[in-house]
Amino acid sequence: LEELNNVTLPGLQEDLQELQNLTDFMDGEVPNTPTGLTLSTELLNSESVIKVSFNANTETDVIGYEIAYSTDQVKWHYVTTIDTTVYLSVIANTLYYVRIRAFDAEGYKSAWTTTASITSAKDVTAPATPTGLTAEALFQKIILRWTANTESDFEKYKVQVSLDNFSTIKETFYIASNYSVYSGDTNTTYYFRISAIDTSENESGYSTIVNATTTAIYDADLESQILDELSSSLEELNNVTLPNLQSDLQELQNLTGYLDGEPPATPTNLNLTTELINGESNIKVSYAQNAETDILGYEIAYSLDQIKWKYVTTTGVSVYIPVIANTLYYIKVRVFDAEGYKSAWTPVSSITSAKDTVPPSVPTGLTVEALFQKIVLKWNSNVENDFSRYKVQVSLDNFSTIKETFYTSSNYLVYSGTTNTTYYFRVSSIDTSGNESGYSTIVSA
């Protein structure tokens, strides 16, 4: 008793206080949606940034914020922070959409804020001057090629053409790719130069000037010479290069022709049923197949509380999900395609899973420890995923009669009785379907 009063109980109180100190800031609730979202933009070290600021949440268990930003509201980038002001490095002079949410120490996340938008600041740094420009002449055609620019804010090239080495300019056109086929007259010399332009309309200097002369109509020798440089012979061009190119183009079309460049439509006809399969409760999720040609699969989300979701990915339109029996589940579905687009979620549906008929195992390891007007009961925890609670029965005559019955979800109990009295105990376990195990061994104290 001295050890109980001076060691065991003070130690227990200290442990409980430490646990309370660690967890009493948690509120068990979803954080509020952050407020005061404000966006501004500026240049930092010549780089365009968006400044995202918002009010701090007042909940004591909030541990951070998630910022999502996008140029199309389909493909989002994410930044996690503990601060309420964040600078995002972005492409200059580009429209961005931004939203935020808070998350806490219990894993809960708030709803997203309303999406805000801003066009990022223009920068003042021009892209690099294009290099590697070459010109290759054919009959009434000149093929231009150059090395592609790599700036993140690159937008297009300006191509200029001259007949007199740029004493005057014949024409100017713009292109996003790093090659072009220019159409001209026969037996004419053309001069070319290119510059690069970014999203802020900053323009680079011009490349080195190159020139090429289109062939004459009847200059068969010169035409053959140029064709020989493109492919070792006209025969190879006709019999090897062009057929291979057609084959490659067909293969590319076969690989990409089904892509539509758009987010998929939200799946329809979501239907939920439930049944037992091999004694285990399952929910069958089915829905109509999407009609788009670039669909890769479907994502199914299911939850007990619509806060913490679990996910299943499938290519089918009918899926069985093993679940806890006799439990309410919320389910939603969306589809994703080969381009990375995802549809909106379907409206959430709900269903209570089927009851099973298999009782949990009989509790084991029941022990009792008598104190003054108290008896401490302990036993081994059940491990079934559909375990619900324990039934504890008390008797004064070894269960010829039952004094009282009560229920608990934990695997220990402190029973209050009268002094100098013998009590008998037994425990059974009950699952979510109401199935009850047999009773444990009877113990007394």
Side-chain angles (χ1 to χ4, degrees):
L1 186 59
E2 180 179 355
E3 182 179 357
L4 177 67
N5 291 328
N6 297 331
V7 180
T8 305
L9 290 179
L12 181 59
Q13 289 173 331
E14 184 178 345
D15 292 343
L16 287 173
Q17 184 62 50
E18 181 178 357
L19 180 60
Q20 185 175 358
N21 292 340
L22 289 173
T23 62
D24 61 2
F25 72 98
M26 298 181 182
D27 58 14
E29 297 181 358
V30 178
N32 292 323
T33 303
T35 60
L37 174 59
T38 302
L39 306 180
S40 61
T41 184
E42 60 186 280
L43 293 180
L44 290 180
N45 299 322
S46 299
E47 182 179 27
S48 185
V49 299
I50 293 174
K51 179 182 177 182
V52 183
S53 57
F54 45 91
N55 298 327
N57 278 48
T58 57
E59 300 92 338
T60 58
D61 59 346
V62 168
I63 59 174
Y65 303 89
E66 188 175 15
I67 302 172
Y69 61 103
S70 170
T71 57
D72 58 10
Q73 299 193 76
V74 177
K75 296 179 180 178
W76 293 88
H77 301 276
Y78 298 90
V79 172
T80 301
T81 179
I82 59 174
D83 301 314
T84 56
T85 299
V86 174
Y87 288 86
L88 304 176
S89 297
V90 294
I91 299 172
N93 197 31
T94 301
L95 179 64
Y96 278 89
Y97 302 92
V98 181
R99 61 186 184 182
I100 59 173
R101 64 182 176 184
F103 57 92
D104 64 21
E106 298 171 273
Y108 295 130
K109 293 184 177 182
S110 75
W112 289 106
T113 61
T114 301
T115 300
S117 64
I118 191 172
T119 297
S120 55
K122 291 184 177 182
D123 67 24
V124 294
T125 304
T129 300
T131 60
L133 176 61
T134 62
E136 191 169 11
L138 298 176
F139 176 65
Q140 293 184 332
K141 295 285 189 294
I142 295 177
I143 300 173
L144 300 170
R145 298 186 180 95
W146 59 93
T147 303
N149 279 56
T150 59
E151 293 87 356
S152 63
D153 62 344
F154 166 79
E155 184 176 41
K156 60 191 175 187
Y157 296 101
K158 181 169 79 173
V159 182
Q160 288 193 325
V161 187
S162 175
L163 294 174
D164 54 12
N165 201 18
F166 292 100
S167 295
T168 60
I169 296 172
K170 180 180 184 296
E171 60 184 303
T172 300
F173 56 93
Y174 298 88
I175 188 171
S177 60
N178 64 323
Y179 65 90
S180 179
V181 178
Y182 180 75
S183 297
D185 298 324
T186 58
N187 197 30
T188 304
T189 300
Y190 294 93
Y191 298 83
F192 302 91
R193 66 185 182 184
I194 59 174
S195 63
I197 301 173
D198 64 21
T199 55
S200 298
E201 300 176 353
N202 301 305
E203 183 176 356
S204 73
Y206 285 107
S207 67
T208 302
I209 297 171
V210 298
N211 67 80
T213 303
T214 55
T215 61
I217 295 176
Y218 299 110
D219 193 346
D221 291 339
L222 182 57
E223 184 77 7
S224 296
Q225 178 184 349
I226 296 173
L227 289 174
D228 285 345
E229 293 172 357
L230 290 174
S231 58
S232 60
S233 66
L234 184 59
E235 181 179 358
E236 181 179 353
L237 179 65
N238 290 328
N239 298 330
V240 179
T241 306
L242 291 179
N244 286 346
L245 180 59
Q246 289 173 332
S247 177
D248 291 343
L249 287 173
Q250 184 62 51
E251 183 177 354
L252 180 61
Q253 185 174 2
N254 293 340
L255 288 172
T256 63
Y258 68 98
L259 303 177
D260 59 15
E262 297 180 357
T266 304
T268 59
N269 298 336
L270 175 59
N271 185 57
L272 307 178
T273 60
T274 183
E275 60 186 280
L276 294 179
I277 299 177
N278 296 324
E280 184 178 41
S281 185
N282 280 257
I283 294 175
K284 180 183 179 183
V285 183
S286 58
Y287 38 87
Q289 185 171 9
N290 275 52
E292 297 92 338
T293 57
D294 59 347
I295 297 300
L296 284 185
Y298 301 86
E299 188 176 16
I300 301 170
Y302 61 104
S303 170
L304 298 175
D305 55 12
Q306 300 192 72
I307 297 171
K308 297 179 180 179
W309 293 88
K310 296 181 180 179
Y311 299 90
V312 173
T313 301
T314 179
T315 59
V317 293
S318 180
V319 175
Y320 287 88
I321 302 176
V323 293
I324 298 171
N326 196 32
T327 301
L328 179 63
Y329 279 89
Y330 300 92
I331 296 178
K332 59 186 180 180
V333 180
R334 67 180 175 184
V335 64
F336 57 92
D337 65 21
E339 297 173 273
Y341 293 128
K342 293 184 177 182
S343 74
W345 288 105
T346 61
V348 176
S349 295
S350 63
I351 191 173
T352 298
S353 55
K355 291 184 177 182
D356 67 23
T357 57
V358 180
S361 59
V362 175
T364 61
L366 177 60
T367 62
V368 287
E369 185 176 4
L371 302 175
F372 177 70
Q373 292 184 335
K374 295 282 189 295
I375 296 179
V376 179
L377 288 83
K378 298 176 184 175
W379 58 93
N380 298 325
S381 296
N382 279 55
V383 296
E384 294 86 357
N385 65 359
D386 63 343
F387 166 79
S388 175
R389 61 190 184 277
Y390 296 101
K391 182 170 77 173
V392 181
Q393 289 192 326
V394 188
S395 175
L396 295 173
D397 54 12
N398 201 17
F399 292 99
S400 295
T401 59
I402 296 172
K403 181 180 184 294
E404 57 187 309
T405 299
F406 46 92
Y407 298 88
T408 180
S409 59
S410 60
N411 66 323
Y412 65 89
L413 181 73
V414 178
Y415 179 75
S416 297
T418 56
T419 58
N420 199 28
T421 303
T422 299
Y423 294 93
Y424 298 84
F425 301 91
R426 64 184 183 186
V427 181
S428 65
S429 58
I430 302 172
D431 64 21
T432 55
S433 296
N435 301 306
E436 185 177 356
S437 74
Y439 286 106
S440 66
T441 302
I442 296 171
V443 296
S444 65

